[in-house]
Amino acid sequence: MAMMVRITIAHRNELIALAAADPDEICGLLLGAGDQIMRLVPCRNVAGDRAVRFEIDPGALIAAHRVARNGGAQVIGHYHSHPSGVARPSPRDAADSAPDGSIWLIVAGEAVTAWRAVADGGVHGRFDPLVLDVSGCADSGDSPQGRNAIPPR
Ligand SMILES: [Zn+2]
């Protein structure tokens, strides 16, 4: 499987803004194809204690998979935030995850990191780090090179 996932600057900035606007954990789905994130779908966090965990609204998940079956973008993973933590999977994330190869994006402050949920990952036995390749000339007048790969921690 690819060791890289691609996201546009606009989507990365949107994730940072969504996370900054909410004291609780935010979450949503990543739609795309292969290693390319094409759309963010913010979802309700239906966890009991949203300050420290997340659970994507199951209705939104079902709807996204239905769209995917009908030829839309695939659900390739999801994102969530760590409002007072670091952009790294927590032991709770590992406990709540399935080794399904999906992409996890984690937002903490200005940091966005990418991981893949696997059966024998290097982090908590569940997650392998992915390089998040940020590209595109969005609205922000970013650096001339236009690419800004963030190495995993
Ligand atoms: Zn988490």
Side-chain angles (χ1 to χ4, degrees):
M1 282 193 243
M3 297 302 292
M4 178 180 286
V5 58
R6 298 167 206 280
I7 191 171
T8 64
I9 290 169
H11 282 151
R12 186 195 60 178
N13 291 348
E14 186 180 341
L15 283 177
I16 291 169
L18 286 168
D22 198 323
D24 290 330
E25 292 198 10
I26 61 154
C27 61
L29 297 171
L30 305 171
L31 303 191
D35 63 2
Q36 176 72 55
I37 295 167
M38 292 155 59
R39 249 186 81 198
L40 309 175
V41 182
C43 297
R44 211 154 51 91
N45 180 355
V46 298
D49 187 355
R50 295 191 302 276
V52 294
R53 63 189 304 169
F54 78 100
E55 184 181 342
I56 290 174
D57 177 4
L61 195 54
I62 290 166
H65 280 293
R66 185 180 300 131
V67 169
R69 276 198 305 276
N70 291 329
Q74 301 297 305
V75 179
I76 60 174
H78 56 74
Y79 65 84
H80 74 286
S81 66
H82 285 172
S84 56
V86 295
R88 184 180 172 83
S90 66
R92 182 183 288 112
D93 289 332
D96 289 347
S97 67
D100 55 7
S102 64
I103 293 166
W104 285 55
L105 290 191
I106 301 182
V107 191
E110 297 279 308
V112 181
T113 58
W115 310 82
R116 195 184 297 283
V118 295
D120 55 354
V123 175
H124 308 313
R126 177 50 48 83
F127 296 101
D128 278 340
L130 298 173
V131 174
L132 187 63
D133 184 56
V134 182
S135 64
C137 44
D139 45 2
S140 54
D142 262 89
S143 55
Q145 62 267 33
R147 297 171 83 81
N148 180 22
I150 299 174
R153 298 187 191 184

